[in-house]
Amino acid sequence: MRLLNTRTGQFVENIDPKVTRYAILSHVWDIRGEQSYQQVLAIWQKASRSSTSSQVSVKGRCKNASAISILDSPELSVKIRGFCAIAHQHGYGLGWMDSCCIDKPSSAELTEAINSMYLWYRKADVCYAYLADVHDDPNSSPYRPSERLCHEILSTRWHTRGWTLQELIAPENVLFLTHTWRVIDSKLSLAPLLEQATGVSVAVLIGEATVESMSVACRMSWASKRQTTRIEDEAYSLLGIFGVYMPTIYGEG
């Protein structure tokens, strides 16, 4: 598992999610695209080269490259910076987001990620559900959402996407955020509203019932109105919910 250092934006490789404390992001991809692993790595390498060329010696020692941060770089996406900022603010030194932490041109890595994603969300200390189309309300405060905010949560595009279903169900601790990364409330408190929006029962959302205890038809009904950009993802996004492991072959339809 590859994670982001939330203080520097540097990638940290080969992390075991079962023994590591980390935050994870759930979001709807921007229609203009998201920054990839290769793009973020290129920003880091550029910053590293720039720092190396301008290193100064302090008492005979050079600057430590590990102190380099790209989180202030205007080349880094606003979303990655926002995710790292909220995770770091809440005390998480490591974070994972699908858009930049998976080397997608690597078919082996992509297959591992798709088959392991449910586990990664399950093992995360916290999942931030970033609702880009939900706006701040001056009449609302953290953990006490206003009526207007509740209405926007019901209609957010986040509920319509295939992958966000498992990202809602798998983590025990989910915090919902507005487009400015302000905390709205937790999955536990919003469970009745989320049941209304998604069809997933409150019992499953708060952990009183397991996903496995739900019938196949019930689990399929949760996904019936959701969409994915690629047709294969209609199946792949449900692997964790049905406890299935299978190789991924994009292009097969």
Side-chain angles (χ1 to χ4, degrees), residues 23-218:
I24 203 163
L25 183 70
S26 174
H27 65 117
V28 174
W29 280 37
D30 193 298
I31 57 174
R32 296 166 294 183
E34 302 281 349
Q35 275 188 330
S36 67
Y37 165 70
Q38 285 76 17
Q39 289 171 321
V40 176
L41 188 62
I43 295 170
W44 173 263
Q45 290 170 339
K46 179 181 177 181
S48 183
R49 287 193 299 269
S50 176
S51 176
T52 300
S53 64
S54 61
Q55 276 183 350
V56 296
S57 178
V58 180
K59 295 182 180 180
R61 292 176 294 180
C62 291
K63 292 178 180 178
N64 188 348
S66 65
I68 301 168
S69 173
I70 62 171
L71 294 179
D72 291 328
S73 170
E75 296 181 51
L76 192 67
S77 81
V78 173
K79 188 179 287 185
I80 294 175
R81 282 184 276 159
F83 170 53
C84 286
I86 189 71
H88 186 66
Q89 177 187 331
H90 289 171
Y92 297 101
L94 297 170
W96 187 90
M97 56 187 296
D98 58 350
S99 51
C100 68
C101 288
I102 305 173
D103 182 5
K104 295 177 181 65
S106 168
S107 58
E109 184 170 323
L110 184 60
T111 292
E112 178 190 2
I114 287 174
N115 280 280
S116 302
M117 212 173 291
Y118 191 88
L119 172 67
W120 293 350
Y121 276 90
R122 170 69 73 184
K123 293 297 181 181
D125 265 38
V126 62
C127 172
Y128 296 113
Y130 177 62
L131 309 182
D133 53 357
V134 172
H135 304 87
D136 295 334
D137 187 338
N139 299 317
S140 190
S141 59
Y143 303 100
R144 301 188 72 176
S146 66
E147 184 177 344
R148 199 212 77 194
L149 265 183
C150 288
H151 176 74
E152 288 199 13
I153 292 169
L154 279 172
S155 58
T156 176
R157 185 165 170 254
W158 188 83
H159 295 311
T160 70
R161 307 306 296 167
W163 286 103
T164 55
L165 176 60
Q166 70 171 5
E167 295 161 13
L168 167 68
I169 293 171
E172 180 180 346
N173 182 23
V174 181
L175 289 181
F176 289 85
L177 310 176
T178 69
H179 79 296
T180 62
W181 300 91
R182 293 180 182 273
V183 174
I184 302 171
D185 210 333
S186 68
K187 176 171 74 168
L188 185 65
S189 298
L190 292 172
L193 191 69
L194 295 170
E195 180 183 48
Q196 183 180 345
T198 66
V200 181
S201 69
V202 168
V204 171
L205 293 172
I206 67 176
E208 286 185 352
T210 64
V211 174
E212 295 76 19
S213 68
M214 299 293 109
S215 70
V216 169
C218 179

